[in-house]
Amino acid sequence: EYVEDKKAPQIDKTKWRGIAVYVDHVDGSIHPVTYELLGKAKELAGKIKQPVYALFIGSGIKHKAEELLHYGADKVYICDKPQLEYFKIEAYTSVFEEFITKIKPAAILVGATPVGRQLAPRVAARFGTGLTADCTILDIKENTDLVQIRPAFGGNIMAEILTPNTRPQMATVRYKIMDAPKWSDTATGTVHELAISDEKLKSRIQVLGVTKKPKEKTIDGADVIVVAGRGIKKKDDLKMLEELADLLGGQTASTRPLVEAGWMDPKKQIGLSGRTVRPKLIITCGVSGSVQFVAGMNHADTIFAINNDPKAAIFKTANYAVKADIYDVIPELIQKIKTGGKAL
Amino acid sequence: MKILVCIKQVPGTNKVEVDEKTGVLKRNGTDSKMNPYDLYALETGLRLKEKYGGTVSVITMGPPQAKAVLYEAFAMGADNGALITDRKFGGADVLATSRTLSQGIRRFGSFDVILCGLQTTDGDTAQVGPEVAELLDIPSVCNVQRIEKAEQGSIIVDMDMPHDIETIKAAFPCLLTVKKDICQPRLPSYLRKQQTMKKDIDIYTFSDMEDKDEEKYGLTGSPTSVQRIFPPISDKVQEHLEGTSRELAQKIYATLKQKKFIAG
Ligand SMILES: Cc1cc2nc3c(=O)[nH]c(=O)nc-3n(C[C@H](O)[C@H](O)[C@@H](O)COP(=O)(O)OP(=O)(O)OC[C@H]3O[C@@H](n4cnc5c(N)ncnc54)[C@H](O)[C@@H]3O)c2cc1C
Ligand SMILES: Cc1cc2nc3c(=O)[nH]c(=O)nc-3n(C[C@H](O)[C@H](O)[C@H](O)COP(=O)(O)OP(=O)(O)OC[C@H]3O[C@@H](n4cnc5c(N)ncnc54)[C@H](O)[C@@H]3O)c2cc1C
């Protein structure tokens, strides 16, 4: 059926200026995704010659605001109130609302962290604007339309999305997708207080307690990862990969079938239904390279894939495609490293 | 306790066709299933009912054939269901979907707890839950991994955060999105399936919406617009390493050393 394109009144895009970044943090310790987004915001803002803003919401966080200026923020808007000690979604949404109403940014980037992923949609719904999830590529047009590219269907397709007739345009971006800018000596930006009435900070949720999770070595932050795939014949053979990972100062991880078999901790699964990693080096061993797996690791800096099937899909993703039997080449490699040099 | 679970019908596989022009999914409905994440939301609802009494209702927005997921939910134990469907709702993005769902929910009844899955396997945004909560003006908690208990007028839940677990008390009515760790969904019961296959469901169309501004629904009401869909591209520099395993080990070693992963 033909859907008639009704002429929606065009908004005045010149009234919305600047690229804003939501500062993700826990008790003032800023999540690195924030710096990555500031770097991206700076690049986008440069193209349209507009400022970069940072929105910093919390309690007892003032002393951290300065830091954001060193990563390229022109103006940091800070709302520091005791009521904002914990992430309370309604209160945070209200502060966000104040910020948008006052500053009118053309676009807002939010880290796709557990906080960002719930806060951004509430804000978007409040303003009746579009929100594009988990963008992997961002660009901007002269008319300030944000070009947002994201995967869907488990990474099987990519979609290019615009928010052509509402402002602010909103996008979330996962950690380790954009490149972090270097800390810069010069900080020309300024810090401003964002006022809000106590009435607006009221909340129907109450944080009763916070339990620290036991600190475990997570693959999320590892620089080097050795991945076991179904090419591994039995659980005991994982020791070989653990040894290699140890020698390289890294950690082991796996594809989903090994987790399902109970050979690996679910927290070590890479992929769509597991973790997204962006290590400096990843070596996949006996991994076929399904789209669901690749979605979780294709942003690694250097990818080695070892597989004995020359047609394995993982070779399309790899920088170094090594056609070999893991049971032959890995022991050789381990031997080589042991006799030849140490891991950095 | 009056519980509502939002469930979505998604394609049975990840191989789907997309209308290149509009960027809208071509759903033929032959190979569809309930969004797997929604099974956890439904199970959570059923367990709450078992413990505290009340009813579990289910609601879905989609084409007429999406009602199949309501019957799947009945076979698992849901008490009643509503389908929101209209040509005018087609091509909706998250905002338009959330508007339609929230309007449909208002029409369906008043609920203490609304449960959503964490995300879907198609659109995969994880945004509908919090947007629906905003439009209903109720508190929301995402990433719920455990329900501690329900009390008079509120529920206490654990929200999973990167470094810690926050225990949160949310006043009714509220919306929760649940993680897969929360529970193991039960299988549908054959007997219940037989008993509920002819069950009546509520069907809401555009004329049942309280807000009759057509521009807020479907493709027209969607602020985001999919410009194009394309297969993922890889721009990797590639090198194929070949040789005997000893030669290969040597080559890998040399490369790792050159890239400073190995000292010396
Ligand atoms: C390739 C592609 C990319 C897209 N990207 C975006 C985007 O970035 N931004 C955007 O706004 N839209 C986007 N859309 C559109 C969007 O995915 C859907 O149109 C929207 O209806 C539902 O979003 P979702 O599937 O991501 O649901 P999610 O937000 O992932 O769903 C979370 C939960 O909400 C509930 N729920 C969701 N949909 C329904 C429903 N129809 N009925 C009942 N309960 C439901 C379920 O409990 C579900 O578990 C995209 C669509 C495609 C095809
Ligand atoms: C919705 C959904 C979500 C999913 N999420 C994930 C996810 O998060 N993570 C994930 O990993 N998977 C996920 N999967 C599963 C995914 O589709 C694949 O099934 C899985 O990634 C395959 O794992 P694999 O490569 O280890 O095994 P296989 O596909 O079996 O590949 C094994 C490979 O090892 C090679 N091999 C065998 N023996 C040797 C040897 N001696 N030396 C060298 N090579 C050898 C073979 O040639 C083959 O290529 C998901 C699937 C779905 C439907």
Side-chain angles (χ1 to χ4, degrees):
Chain A
E1 200 190 23
Y2 179 68
V3 191
E4 204 176 326
D5 241 348
K6 285 225 194 67
K7 273 264 174 294
Q10 289 296 308
I11 57 148
D12 183 356
K13 291 177 187 174
T14 61
K15 292 221 167 91
W16 298 81
R17 290 177 50 83
I19 314 283
V21 171
Y22 172 74
V23 180
D24 200 288
H25 71 98
V26 178
D27 299 334
S29 104
I30 296 170
H31 192 293
V33 71
T34 309
Y35 301 129
E36 297 173 356
L37 295 184
L38 280 172
K40 192 69 197 179
K42 185 107 189 130
E43 179 199 319
L44 298 172
K47 288 190 183 174
I48 51 168
K49 303 196 175 53
Q50 293 189 3
V52 172
Y53 304 120
L55 171 62
F56 200 8
I57 309 173
S59 170
I61 52 169
K62 276 204 183 84
H63 60 292
K64 295 283 186 159
E66 196 75 21
E67 188 67 4
L68 299 159
L69 302 174
H70 291 279
Y71 286 94
D74 294 308
K75 283 186 179 168
V76 177
Y77 286 89
I78 183 163
C79 190
D80 191 331
K81 294 250 183 182
Q83 295 99 312
L84 297 166
E85 182 182 356
Y86 295 111
F87 170 63
K88 289 191 199 114
I89 193 155
E90 297 156 285
Y92 275 57
T93 308
S94 297
V95 178
F96 225 127
E97 181 186 358
E98 290 290 316
F99 169 74
I100 294 173
T101 311
K102 188 168 169 212
I103 307 304
K104 293 200 161 38
I108 303 173
L109 311 181
V110 180
T113 63
V115 166
R117 286 181 78 123
Q118 44 188 321
L119 178 59
R122 280 205 81 124
V123 174
R126 188 162 295 184
F127 283 86
T129 192
L131 172 62
T132 307
D134 293 334
C135 299
T136 53
I137 300 176
L138 289 172
D139 199 355
I140 200 154
K141 296 190 183 179
E142 234 170 278
N143 70 355
T144 73
D145 277 0
L146 194 64
V147 181
Q148 308 157 106
I149 295 181
R150 65 167 301 236
F153 290 94
N156 275 347
I157 55 168
M158 304 292 288
E160 182 183 313
I161 296 173
L162 291 182
T163 308
N165 199 32
T166 54
R167 290 291 185 268
Q169 309 163 83
M170 296 185 68
T172 65
V173 180
R174 284 205 203 182
Y175 177 36
K176 292 187 179 171
I177 295 292
M178 303 301 173
D179 297 315
K182 290 238 156 31
W183 191 90
S184 147
D185 273 346
T186 48
T188 49
T190 47
V191 179
H192 304 257
E193 222 155 292
L194 187 69
I196 188 154
S197 69
D198 287 344
E199 185 59 31
K200 291 206 168 139
L201 297 180
K202 284 208 175 123
S203 181
R204 288 164 288 186
I205 65 166
Q206 221 182 311
V207 179
L208 300 181
V210 177
T211 325
K212 281 264 166 277
K213 282 197 230 173
K215 261 222 163 55
E216 42 194 339
K217 259 213 212 162
T218 59
I219 57 169
D220 308 47
D223 280 340
V224 176
I225 298 177
V226 176
V227 189
R230 235 184 5 203
I232 288 291
K233 295 192 177 68
K234 53 182 197 299
K235 191 177 177 195
D236 205 43
D237 299 343
L238 287 170
K239 290 208 180 95
M240 170 172 84
L241 301 188
E242 274 155 24
E243 187 176 6
L244 178 60
D246 276 347
L247 287 168
L248 294 170
Q251 293 189 39
T252 53
S254 81
T255 58
R256 190 160 89 173
L258 274 67
V259 170
E260 278 166 356
W263 293 5
M264 268 282 183
D265 184 334
K267 291 195 191 71
K268 288 185 153 236
Q269 179 188 320
I270 291 174
L272 185 65
S273 50
R275 305 283 166 127
T276 305
V277 294
R278 196 182 178 180
K280 295 199 173 77
L281 169 70
I282 194 163
I283 305 178
T284 70
C285 307
V287 172
S288 62
S290 69
V291 280
Q292 293 89 355
F293 171 76
V294 168
M297 52 67 75
N298 57 359
H299 285 283
D301 293 345
T302 302
I303 303 170
F304 275 81
I306 310 175
N307 196 307
N308 58 8
D309 173 6
K311 291 209 230 19
I314 191 72
F315 286 160
K316 284 191 231 129
T317 308
N319 302 105
Y320 297 92
V322 185
K323 192 206 151 280
D325 191 313
I326 48 176
Y327 287 93
D328 294 334
V329 78
I330 289 173
E332 291 270 6
L333 179 60
I334 288 173
Q335 206 46 41
K336 193 85 210 154
I337 299 174
K338 274 185 171 165
T339 53
K342 293 200 305 281
L344 268 185
Chain B
M1 195 185 300
K2 288 194 75 184
I3 303 154
L4 175 69
V5 188
C6 300
I7 55 181
K8 183 185 185 186
Q9 190 179 49
V10 296
T13 71
N14 269 336
K15 289 205 177 68
V16 288
E17 264 193 276
V18 176
D19 185 324
E20 298 266 348
K21 252 173 74 194
T22 58
V24 173
L25 268 181
K26 289 184 193 162
R27 291 177 201 272
N28 48 24
T30 47
D31 183 25
S32 308
K33 60 176 184 190
M34 193 194 303
N35 173 33
Y37 292 89
D38 297 344
L39 292 169
Y40 298 85
L42 182 54
E43 179 64 35
T44 304
L46 295 171
R47 289 188 190 188
L48 279 174
K49 175 187 161 180
E50 281 160 12
K51 198 153 171 194
Y52 300 103
T55 50
V56 175
S57 309
V58 284
I59 194 163
T60 192
M61 167 192 149
Q65 61 268 26
K67 69 170 190 235
V69 296
L70 299 177
Y71 287 91
E72 254 181 79
F74 294 153
M76 279 175 69
D79 299 298
N80 51 50
L83 167 71
I84 317 174
T85 190
D86 199 303
R87 277 230 146 91
K88 292 194 170 82
F89 301 152
D93 73 351
V94 168
L95 182 71
T97 299
S98 304
R99 279 179 184 145
T100 316
L101 263 177
S102 59
Q103 292 278 313
I105 292 170
R106 281 217 172 93
R107 174 74 209 241
F108 198 19
S110 60
F111 299 92
D112 298 315
V113 178
I114 300 175
L115 295 159
C116 284
L118 190 67
Q119 63 190 73
T120 62
T121 50
D122 56 353
D124 197 359
T125 66
Q127 292 172 179
V128 169
E131 293 217 3
V132 166
E134 173 65 28
L135 296 169
L136 290 173
D137 189 21
I138 61 174
S140 55
V141 186
C142 296
N143 294 327
V144 171
Q145 64 166 31
R146 195 173 76 94
I147 303 227
E148 195 176 302
K149 62 176 179 206
E151 291 178 345
Q152 199 64 37
S154 64
I155 191 160
I156 300 175
V157 302
D158 281 351
M159 170 167 73
D160 187 33
M161 298 291 270
H163 303 292
D164 47 42
I165 294 168
E166 288 189 14
T167 305
I168 290 175
K169 181 169 167 176
F172 290 158
C174 61
L175 183 144
L176 313 174
T177 80
V178 305
K179 294 192 55 158
K180 278 184 166 183
D181 324 339
I182 197 162
C183 57
Q184 201 50 45
R186 69 195 63 189
L187 293 170
S189 127
Y190 178 74
L191 190 67
R192 204 172 258 128
K193 189 174 168 183
Q194 294 300 312
Q195 287 164 348
T196 55
M197 58 198 266
K198 293 216 173 72
K199 198 173 164 63
D200 280 338
I201 55 167
D202 288 7
I203 295 179
Y204 305 137
T205 61
F206 178 74
S207 61
D208 297 297
M209 302 288 114
E210 195 185 311
D211 185 342
K212 293 214 168 47
D213 181 352
E214 279 193 38
E215 300 204 343
K216 287 193 177 152
Y217 300 92
L219 200 56
T220 336
S222 297
T224 66
S225 147
V226 178
Q227 302 293 301
R228 63 188 176 107
I229 301 263
F230 55 97
I233 25 164
S234 134
D235 53 355
K236 300 266 178 187
V237 196
Q238 279 214 316
E239 212 175 297
H240 285 265
L241 305 187
E242 273 158 36
T244 65
S245 50
R246 174 149 304 170
E247 288 163 0
L248 285 171
Q250 170 59 34
K251 280 184 193 164
I252 299 172
Y253 175 74
T255 313
L256 292 179
K257 198 160 167 176
Q258 183 225 330
K259 289 186 170 281
K260 300 196 169 61
F261 289 109
I262 297 169

